[in-house]
Amino acid sequence: MTADQSELLRLILNLIRFGTIANINHDTQRVRVKVGENTTTWRPWITLRAGDAQTWFPPSLGEQVIALSPEGDFANTAIRIICVSDGYDSKHSARKIMRGVRGLINELYLDDLRHKTHRGQVGQVERGFVAGGKSYGYDLVKSEEGSRYLVNEAQVKWVRWIFEHYAAGDSVQHMAHELNRLGVLSPRDGTWAVSALYGSPIKGSGILNTSL
């Protein structure tokens, strides 16, 4: 295949391409679309009315679209919103209803998924297993039934050290500095920060505020 033929094939393939919204600018009504390994320049999305009476239905980040490029040049691309999995097409006469209904269905699906996930986590805890991730001072031992915590003797001595020094009136800032000076690895195998020690009493994060 010659260079001219290769270029012609590239232009033909670029006439219609699927992509996803990478960036969006509502002020200029332009988007950038990721197509394969490439990202287009700022391009307009297609609307049915753009004269005195205009329609306003911008896409969302990550939304699937079709990039229509006259002459196969991404510089001339216009973006048509179309969701293959949902059967949504921005040029369909019932597009507003379809988009609203699909949005509602997706919201209900997420609510149901959230409920089922929480129910599954509660069930694991009631059976004596761990529903969360690894916690400093413990190893996470996994089995087919679930995961359990096993005390990590190398870390638990530093957990006791943290509580003893805090009870004695030592500040979390000083403790973090001292742990780093002693070369003790943090929960993320790095240096210690105040957030790792104190965290948030509301969220129950941080070694001093965790319920474990």
Side-chain angles (χ1 to χ4, degrees):
M1 183 179 292
T2 65
D4 289 341
Q5 289 174 327
S6 297
E7 178 64 11
L8 178 60
L9 178 60
R10 183 188 69 82
L11 293 174
I12 292 173
L13 292 175
N14 284 342
L15 287 172
I16 303 176
R17 296 287 298 272
F18 285 102
T20 55
I21 300 297
N23 307 98
I24 183 167
N25 188 322
H26 292 102
D27 294 330
T28 61
Q29 299 182 29
R30 295 290 189 273
V31 294
R32 297 177 69 210
V33 177
K34 183 172 178 58
V35 180
E37 298 299 322
N38 301 312
T39 302
T40 68
T41 57
W42 290 101
R43 303 304 305 159
W45 63 81
I46 292 177
T47 179
L48 293 183
R49 301 292 299 277
D52 294 334
Q54 299 184 4
T55 58
W56 173 252
F57 230 138
S60 306
L61 287 176
E63 188 168 353
Q64 188 179 42
V65 296
I66 287 181
L68 305 175
S69 305
E71 301 177 358
D73 188 351
F74 279 160
N76 301 322
T77 298
I79 309 304
R80 178 177 177 182
I81 307 169
I82 179 168
C83 302
V84 175
S85 59
D86 285 344
Y88 173 80
D89 188 339
S90 61
K91 294 189 72 176
H92 194 281
S93 59
R95 68 195 183 283
K96 292 185 179 180
I97 296 176
M98 291 169 62
R99 186 160 183 157
V101 170
R102 284 297 177 182
L104 176 60
I105 291 174
N106 291 336
E107 284 293 325
L108 294 174
Y109 170 78
L110 290 176
D111 288 341
D112 182 60
L113 180 63
R114 189 180 302 111
H115 172 72
K116 289 180 178 177
T117 301
H118 185 259
R119 185 178 62 190
Q121 291 176 325
V122 170
Q124 284 293 89
V125 172
E126 290 176 345
R127 286 190 291 271
F129 296 110
V130 178
K134 185 178 179 182
S135 182
Y136 188 78
Y138 297 90
D139 290 325
L140 201 58
V141 181
K142 298 182 178 180
S143 66
E144 292 183 358
E145 293 81 13
S147 301
R148 296 182 185 274
Y149 280 135
L150 180 67
V151 173
N152 183 314
E153 296 296 340
Q155 294 178 349
V156 76
K157 70 175 184 179
W158 293 111
V159 174
R160 296 192 183 100
W161 183 94
I162 291 169
F163 277 93
E164 289 170 356
H165 279 252
Y166 189 69
D170 209 351
S171 69
V172 290
Q173 291 84 358
H174 182 266
M175 286 191 293
H177 174 77
E178 189 65 12
L179 287 167
N180 290 328
R181 187 187 68 81
L182 294 171
V184 181
L185 292 178
S186 71
R188 296 186 177 181
D189 294 329
T191 56
W192 286 87
V194 172
S195 58
L197 293 172
Y198 192 75
S200 170
I202 298 176
K203 296 180 180 179
S205 62
I207 292 176
L208 293 169
N209 283 302
T210 181
S211 58
L212 291 175

